[in-house]
Each structure stands twice: as C-alpha cells, then as structure tokens.
Amino acid sequence: MGEKVMNKQVILTNSVKGSLRESDMSLRTSTICLKIPDGCNGAVLVKNLYLSIDPYLILRMRKTPYLDAITPGSPIAGYGVSKVLDSSHPNYNEGDLVWGSQAGWEEYSLIKDPHNLIKIQDKDVPLSYYTGILGMPGMTAYAGFYEVCSPKKGETVFVSAASGAVGQIVGQFAKLLGCYVVGSAGSKAKVDLLKKKFGFDDAFNYKEETDYDAALKRYFREGIDIYFENVGGKMLEAVLDNMRVHGRIAVCGIVSQYTHEQPEGVHNLLTLITKRVRMQGFIVGEYYHLYPKFLEIVVPRVKEGKMTYIEDVDEGLESAPSALLGLYSGHNVGKKLVVVARE
Amino acid sequence: MGEKVMNKQVILTNSVKGSLRESDMSLRTSTICLKIPDGCNGAVLVKNLYLSIDPYLILRMRKTPYLDAITPGSPIAGYGVSKVLDSSHPNYNEGDLVWGSQAGWEEYSLIKDPHNLIKIQDKDVPLSYYTGILGMPGMTAYAGFYEVCSPKKGETVFVSAASGAVGQIVGQFAKLLGCYVVGSAGSKAKVDLLKKKFGFDDAFNYKEETDYDAALKRYFREGIDIYFENVGGKMLEAVLDNMRVHGRIAVCGIVSQYTHEQPEGVHNLLTLITKRVRMQGFIVGEYYHLYPKFLEIVVPRVKEGKMTYIEDVDEGLESAPSALLGLYSGHNVGKKLVVVARE
C-alpha cells in the first residue's frame, strides 16, 4: 500500500426534490492511496482535470432516478477529462489522458470498471474540449442531428438552448449541411454569440418573447423541418404548432422541466398526426461506435477554425456545486466546465 | 338536363365548439339531377350506399379545422361506399362500385374531382367492409402497424380503443406476426370481443381501472414495445411510463381529446429520452400505394375466416348524426357505419 493523500470531494448530501439546492451538495475531504489497491484488477486510478457540468445530472440525483443513480453520501460523478496515475487494466497506462462518464467530483478517482473510458489521441486541441465539442456534447449533437433528424440540405432547423454545450454544435452542423438554422437562448449576449460566432442564420432571446408561436412564425414563415429539442414545455408546444409536414424532432433534453416536481403538460400532440411528425428521444451512449467518424469530421474543422466552441469555465472543485446550480437558471454562456487541475 | 329527384342530406349547421352536439347537424331535403351537369367533365355522380362514421370527422367540423374543412351549410362528407350512376370520367363507368373519402352524407353526390375514388374489384365480401377492414380503417391499421411501428415477431403490443374500426385489425395483424397483444376498450362486451373474437392475448376495460399504470404493469411485466395510439391523454401518459427501451408509438388518433376545447397535457415526455422511444404521427392518405399489397394479404384471410371484423350498423341516413355522436361516448361496438341504401 502506498502513501495516502488528501482527496477533496463534492458529495451528494441527499436525493434532490424539485429544484437543486446548494444544501443538496457538500464538500468533504477524504484520503486516497494513489496506487490501485490489491484485488482491483482491471481498475484505473485517475487524477481528474476537467469536470463536465451537464443538465442531465439532476436526473441522476432524484430518489427515483431516470438514469443511473448518484447515491447520497457518495461523490457526484459525471463526464470529465482525467489523467491515469495507475492502471491494472491492459488498455490504459500511466500518463494516458482519458475522458468518460465516470469522473468523480473529486481530485482523484478509482474507476473499477473503466470500459467506457476513451483515450485521448489528439492533444493538439484544448484538452477541455473533450468535455465539450470533442466529447459527449459533441457526440450528442452529431448523433442527434445526423442520425436522429435525418437532415437534408435546405431544410429549416430550430435549436433551443442553442448556445449551450450541445446547441452551439448542432447549429454549426446544420450550417455545414446547408440548412437554414435559427436558435433560441436566454440573453442578448447569447443571441449575439449564435449569430456572430456560430453562424446561425438568426436567433432570438426567448425571455423577451411573450408569444413563442409568434416568434417562431417570424423566423420560420414556411414552418420548421427539424427541431433539436433541449428545453421542453411551452417551447415544445409552440414548435409543434409550427412544424412542417414530415418534420422531425430529436428529443435530446427538456431542461426547462428538470427542476419541476411535476413537469408541464404538452397539449397539442395532435399535430404529430396532422403534420405526420416523428418525435424521437435518444441517448448519446448508443452512438459511440460513430466516435471515430465524428472525430474525423470535427477535429480538422476545429483546428482550422471552421468550427468553434465557447466554454464557460470555473476554477476549482469547490466551484462545481454553484456551476451546476447556475446551469438550471441559464447562468452559463456556452459549455459549463470546472477545472480541478490543469495537468 | 334530366329529371330531378329528392336528395335527403345531413348538413353541418355550424362549426363545432368543444363537444359535438345534436344541433350541430340537421336534416334537409334538396333535389338533384341524376345526370352529370354540362360542363362537369371528369365528374361522377354516385348513389351513396354505406357511410363510414369516423372519429376524425369532428376535427373537420371545427372553425379552424385540423384537416380539410367541412363547411357549415354543406352536407357532411367522409368515407363511404357508393355506386356510380353517371360518369364523365374515363376511369369510372355507370354501375361501378367505389369507395373513397368524398361520400356526402346524402343519398346522391356529385363528385367533381373523383381522383381518389377506388373501384371495388372483389365483391365476394360484404360491400360494407370497404368502409372498414378493406377500406380506410384497414389501411390505417396496416400502414400504422407495419410501416410506422416496425414490428418484430415476439414483441409486445398495446392497442387502445382496440375494438374500434382500426384497433380490432391492428390486434389481428399483431397476432399474425407472432406478437403478444393486449387491448383496452370501454365495456365488458368489448373486452370479451377482443379476447374471444379477435384473438388478443388479453384485454381490459379501462373504465374499470382507477390506475392505468397498474393495469399496464399487470399485462406488460417487461414493458411495451409497440403502442398503437388511438386515445391520447392519461392513457398515453401511462403507456409512456411503461414503454420498453427503443419502443415505438404510432399516433393514429387521440380520440379522448377530440371533444375537448383544450386537450389534456402529457407530462412525461422525458421518457421519450430515457427509453429512446420513437413517437410518430401518420395519416393513411400517404400509404395508399400499398393498397394492392394490403388487399392481397387481407382479402383471402377475410374469405377464409382467418381475419374477422365486427360492424355496428345503423339503418338510414337519418341515423348518421346520432351514430357520430355516439362514437365520442364509445357507444359503438366495432366499426360504426350507416346504411343509406343497400344497392
């Protein structure tokens, strides 16, 4: 057994009811040995560098979680970029940089079953991008847009939460394909980003619109072919009323509802029939076989500056709880992440 | 110009708000000449035999209709079986039996643009079946089940409004393919029909269930692969909570909501994501290119008694308004139709 070091952690204090509160998370200092313990064959021990702060996390903190539960009393864990300090798994070696969905909100994590850790090959891009455009959000945008939406050149695309981790990439994919794309976001600064930085054809601040239906009709006179759904609720209802015949809706998230005990109802599903709309939920985890193809498309464009990505970075593990809290109020501008350590 | 005869008609009195009321429809006697008028090239003049009484009709009677409007002051029109009395269209001859979506609720109709009238070839089955198992409802079941649901042998299928015009056929298609199929309906008599006549594996009376979720869990311990959606509202919510991963929902109708000014909301669309469900609305009109293939499958089975069909028949054009009214309260047992004349 090696020497033990301090390991700061962010713990889930209790199951989350309704909105996330600061008291649902707490800081703790534990200790960890930086060698794989005996009997942990196949494990890796990592130092966490960048934590991905993602809206879906609240769904894992509920008493009856929609996805794999995060257990009260344990560190929160999610996507992140880490460095391998020790490995008893043949695929990973000391010094490897990896990303995956098992990065604890702690300085060091022992990952007993690292099968979904992906080794970072190309380090000629910002390492934090593997929490974003080159990681799960990038793959989510890719799978949701290309695989779920069946997009065609010239179609009209609407993206909600468009300046977020996924939305900004969906918009850029839509432009690459020759679609007309409009995004909604929650501030003037975000709307400016969409139009000036990400190349959306247009964008609007949903907080300034009293009538979403009228807003959508302003930008989509002929209706919407594709909706990349990130928010749910009233925006989804307005979009349904503005879909074109044979439209497609990729349901990626419905973040406006994640903090509700009882989500709002959607009242106009009849339009699914009258417009023959396909509405499909998806989870990025089923599309990682496409990751090499995705990197081939995105990495060169990132390097050439033809695709861009905005990050909203907080420093220090201690900032992770407030970073997550802020996400549900839209405080972030771009992909939210926390730097635990830079190397 | 030939001799004029009396033409009894059922008129839409005014646009329908909320529920359909008896006063929204009225009887009128008009006159008609049984020859095509001059200048009506390409028209056919038909004698209406069987009128198909369908839930979607109310959607066409609204002030802002979801589908082609039925105009106040005009006869109601819908699917039906008719006999050609005179024709100035090369595809139709006097004496032809036809079915289509332009049968007026009247004794005789002049159809100016008969392009979607289908000539009945096989008369060795009850002629009224062309309002049902061999007509629009049959094609709806076929397209919705085989084309929209992508069914596989062994999958679990739930059908709501299962003893109705479409549901009874969906159940039989599902059994033909080797699926496990359960239906819901609104009376003990209907439930008995589903189990004893149509070969559903099981069925339940939704009016006797206080908890749809519990009812579905009783019949689908492992969840639902395919939902053929006819009713909407609370049943849809319960089904969403019981879908299996990669389930499919064909949205054929949401009849529980057709009589509401403001339909109920569906609150758990998040399950579309967590279960990766595809929910797709469709309209039978886009699938008629498959009609010959459909007839090849269904007609021999109907003749051999391997597929069966229950009709709920009212006699006389005068009974059409009450027949339609009863549909929204589930008074019909099986496919509702009205006999205007038998030949």
Side-chain angles (χ1 to χ4, degrees), chain B residues 156-160 162 171 174-175 179-185 194 199-204 215-216 218-220 224 226-228:
Chain B
T156 62
V157 177
F158 178 55
V159 186
S160 53
K175 289 314 299 174
C179 295
Y180 166 82
V181 59
V182 175
S184 66
L194 293 176
F200 281 64
D201 293 286
D202 224 320
F204 65 90
L216 291 171
R218 215 159 60 221
Y219 297 105
F220 296 96
I224 299 167
I226 288 173
Y227 175 41
F228 198 97

Side-chain angles (χ1 to χ4, degrees), chain A residues 301-331:
Chain A
R301 289 190 166 81
V302 166
K303 289 185 178 170
E304 293 161 18
K306 289 181 182 159
M307 285 188 79
T308 187
Y309 200 60
I310 298 284
E311 297 179 329
D312 182 331
V313 182
D314 284 355
E315 293 287 333
L317 181 66
E318 299 81 355
S319 63
S322 65
L324 183 60
L325 274 165
L327 208 58
Y328 302 109
S329 326
H331 288 170

Side-chain angles (χ1 to χ4, degrees), chain A residues 225 227 229 236-237 239-251 266-281, chain B residues 59 66-67 148 227 229 232-233 236 240 248-254 258 266 269 272 277-284 286-287:
Chain A
D225 290 307
Y227 176 42
E229 161 68 310
L236 175 56
E237 286 195 336
V239 170
L240 281 167
D241 286 337
N242 284 281
M243 289 302 285
R244 295 184 73 177
V245 165
H246 297 144
R248 288 132 273 150
I249 299 177
V251 189
V266 172
H267 297 82
N268 55 348
L269 291 176
L270 184 56
T271 55
L272 294 180
I273 304 177
T274 55
K275 302 289 184 62
R276 293 81 105 185
V277 169
R278 188 179 81 209
M279 191 167 170
Q280 185 163 354
Chain B
L59 302 176
Y66 276 96
L67 302 157
V148 180
Y227 175 41
E229 161 69 308
L236 175 57
L240 281 167
R248 288 133 274 153
I249 300 177
V251 189
C252 176
I254 54 175
Y258 289 176
V266 172
L269 291 176
L272 294 180
V277 168
R278 187 180 80 208
M279 190 166 170
Q280 186 163 353
F282 72 101
I283 282 184
V284 62
E286 295 182 341
Y287 295 90

Side-chain angles (χ1 to χ4, degrees), chain B residues 255-268:
Chain B
V255 65
S256 77
Q257 307 299 305
Y258 289 176
T259 54
H260 294 223
E261 285 276 9
Q262 167 71 326
E264 293 170 331
V266 172
H267 297 82
N268 56 348

